Amino acid sequence: MHDIKGGRHTLAIHGGQVVDPLYGAVSVPIYQTSTFAFLSAEDGAGKFAGEIEGYKYTRLGNPTVKALEDSVAVLENGYAGLATASGMAAITAVYMTFLSKDSHIVSTDAVYGPSRLVIEKHFSRFGVESTYIDTSNIELIKKSIKKNTKVLYIETPANPTLMLTDIAACAKIAKEHNLVLVVDNTFMGPHYQRPIELGADVVVHSMTKSLNGHSDVVAGMIVTKNKELYKQIQAVHFSTGGTIDPNQAWLVLRGIKTMPLRVEKSSDNALEVAKFLEKHPKVKWVKYPGLKSHPQYDLAKKQMTGFGAMMCFEVEGGVEGGKTVMNNVKLSTLAVSLGGIESLIQHPASMTHAGMTKENRAGAGITDGMIRFSVGCEDCRDIIDDLDNALNKIGAAKAEGGKTMSKAKK
Ligand SMILES: *Cc1c(COP(=O)(O)O)cnc(C)c1O
């Protein structure tokens, strides 16, 4: 259904959706089957030879999965999609397609942790070289490219620092040096940012986040700008087997229909929350692409049509201050992940990044009192009241405990 036309909500509701040819079911049926019967020996032979259209075996394609792939390809304005069992399965299939022994990848230093780990710990075993840099610095990207560089891999906004990378500028560099430009578009999603329109070759997603949006599925997607890249990745993906289950695919397809509604609501909420936090006496700073104080506010307006649900902020009192907020929020759920319909809050220094030294955390831009917040679709007033209550406990809790008070905000 690539010829579908319309606005962003129309595309999310109708892109890839086909009315069931058998009974007219309006919702795409879940083809929960591993294999497909052939009409005859000739039919089977024709399908395996690629001369007859049709499904053979679910790892190699399934109608429910195909509907989901078409849906996200339409949203990303790409050629076609390949659905995967997780976001990491999507990223790994892309790495495996374009990287070989002695080839080199240049990537954002603040990418999603496992995206970097899989290169530095596993692909390195097969002779793949890598350079992780601050890709918000375009000159640094140019300097990092070597003769054997094959892939420029970026994540924007990056996790959890909310630092942006200029996609169009990266596309220009990739073209000049014959690199494949891969963009992890999980944080912003296709509603507000479409990397292929800005020149990217391949987009990857963790659909676990805002595309599915209900914190109940782990899934991923690859979208390419053309047929050639699609065929290259498809060959790797089908044989390595990180494919999606039809039931899982159907849940995501269902979630996508309301993705624009959810993303708009949570973004509107996020801007209000960010403005509230910026004025709060217990908050030192707020990083949100929709605030004029974000160092890359102009780039955000240039390459995104909205600002998304993700932010980070630094509270007074360092690690203890962060913990106090975690232990006093009642509405926001203390959990990793993001892009769900419910607000999710996380404190990297005491949770996800507690294993790192303070110095290494600082190097990665993760300060002691930094909180990552994925704003949900609750009533904005309730989210703000909840945060306000938890933040105001920062000094108070310490006083009650008889410990020294943290330095008051100037
Ligand atoms: C969650 C996430 C991933 C990994 O996705 P999974 O579905 O957990 O495998 C990759 N990139 C980003 C930016 C993410 O937030």
Side-chain angles (χ1 to χ4, degrees):
M1 263 211 143
H2 279 64
D3 50 355
I4 180 100
K5 296 263 180 312
R8 304 304 310 173
H9 292 260
T10 306
L11 296 183
I13 296 166
H14 296 286
Q17 304 277 339
V18 278
V19 172
D20 162 40
L22 203 52
Y23 296 112
V26 168
S27 164
V28 172
I30 308 173
Y31 287 92
Q32 193 72 45
T33 183
S34 60
T35 192
F36 297 83
F38 302 122
L39 301 172
S40 63
E42 292 72 25
D43 181 54
K47 281 176 180 161
F48 269 104
E51 289 152 7
I52 300 172
E53 282 256 333
Y55 294 99
K56 306 176 285 275
Y57 182 66
T58 283
R59 178 162 45 77
L60 310 173
N62 173 289
T64 313
V65 173
K66 176 76 163 64
L68 174 62
E69 291 171 338
D70 288 351
S71 165
V72 182
V74 164
L75 291 172
E76 286 287 356
N77 208 356
Y79 169 75
L82 288 163
T84 58
S86 67
M88 284 317 302
I91 292 162
T92 303
V94 170
Y95 286 159
M96 200 174 273
T97 305
F98 301 109
L99 296 169
S100 329
K101 188 175 179 318
D102 300 328
S103 61
H104 176 241
I105 176 172
V106 173
S107 184
T108 310
D109 53 5
V111 279
Y112 183 72
S115 304
R116 178 170 178 170
L117 186 100
V118 79
I119 289 284
E120 291 186 330
K121 206 162 173 185
H122 302 297
F123 278 78
S124 63
R125 294 190 281 120
F126 304 103
V128 171
E129 299 167 16
S130 59
T131 305
Y132 284 87
I133 50 160
D134 174 4
T135 51
S136 69
N137 181 343
I138 293 296
E139 289 310 311
L140 198 52
I141 299 178
K142 289 183 186 162
K143 276 193 211 130
S144 305
I145 293 170
K146 305 198 286 188
K147 274 210 182 71
N148 57 341
T149 308
K150 300 287 183 217
V151 175
L152 175 55
Y153 182 102
I154 61 172
E155 191 179 310
T156 178
N159 174 28
T161 57
L162 276 298
M163 185 270 296
L164 308 184
T165 296
D166 188 330
I167 300 172
C170 285
K172 201 161 157 261
I173 296 172
K175 206 163 177 195
E176 278 166 19
H177 294 87
N178 206 18
L179 315 177
V180 178
L181 174 61
V182 182
V183 181
D184 183 333
N185 200 28
T186 300
F187 254 48
M188 199 48 55
H191 194 58
Y192 285 150
Q193 176 172 280
R194 289 178 291 287
I196 290 174
E197 292 178 359
L198 299 167
D201 299 303
V202 178
V203 167
V204 290
H205 267 287
S206 167
M207 301 196 294
T208 311
K209 316 296 164 55
S210 65
L211 280 171
N212 178 63
H214 292 75
S215 307
D216 51 12
V217 175
V218 171
M221 181 67 77
I222 303 159
V223 179
T224 67
K225 74 163 180 198
N226 62 29
K227 185 175 179 177
E228 191 192 336
L229 291 164
Y230 172 77
K231 286 285 171 195
Q232 279 179 278
I233 302 170
Q234 186 198 50
V236 172
H237 177 51
F238 282 3
S239 45
T240 51
T243 50
I244 196 170
D245 177 78
N247 191 68
Q248 186 189 0
W250 185 86
L251 282 167
V252 180
L253 193 58
R254 182 188 210 259
I256 285 176
K257 294 178 197 181
T258 57
M259 180 273 290
L261 293 169
R262 289 184 280 101
V263 166
E264 287 178 14
K265 172 71 177 163
S266 58
S267 281
D268 290 350
N269 280 351
L271 185 60
E272 288 308 306
V273 168
K275 285 179 178 164
F276 158 78
L277 289 172
E278 226 176 16
K279 282 187 283 188
H280 200 284
K282 294 280 158 63
V283 175
K284 288 185 175 172
W285 52 256
V286 184
K287 215 53 146 350
Y288 178 65
L291 288 178
K292 291 201 179 73
S293 59
H294 190 288
Q296 295 163 298
Y297 179 64
D298 290 335
L299 176 60
K301 280 198 300 186
K302 194 181 96 182
Q303 70 181 13
M304 290 144 53
T305 53
F307 301 114
M310 296 303 301
M311 70 182 67
C312 61
F313 58 97
E314 175 82 11
V315 298
E316 291 287 343
V319 176
E320 280 308 312
K323 281 188 186 168
T324 301
V325 174
M326 294 304 108
N327 289 334
N328 284 285
V329 284
K330 293 190 174 70
L331 181 65
S332 294
T333 307
L334 207 56
V336 293
S337 198
L338 55 108
I341 195 136
E342 61 286 281
S343 294
L344 298 177
I345 200 160
Q346 209 257 103
H347 178 221
S350 73
M351 298 169 70
T352 46
H353 298 71
M356 285 166 84
T357 63
K358 190 179 159 101
E359 289 69 35
N360 284 351
R361 278 203 301 266
I366 298 159
T367 44
D368 284 350
M370 189 179 108
I371 289 172
R372 189 183 82 171
F373 194 36
S374 171
V375 183
C377 296
E378 298 93 345
D379 291 288
C380 196
R381 190 69 255 160
D382 297 332
I383 300 170
I384 287 177
D385 285 350
D386 186 41
L387 280 176
D388 190 33
N389 178 57
L391 284 166
N392 289 333
K393 293 272 177 7
I394 288 179
K398 285 198 163 181
E400 280 162 22
K403 296 182 196 144
T404 48
M405 292 276 282
S406 64
K407 201 167 67 209
K409 191 177 158 81
K410 285 165 241 139

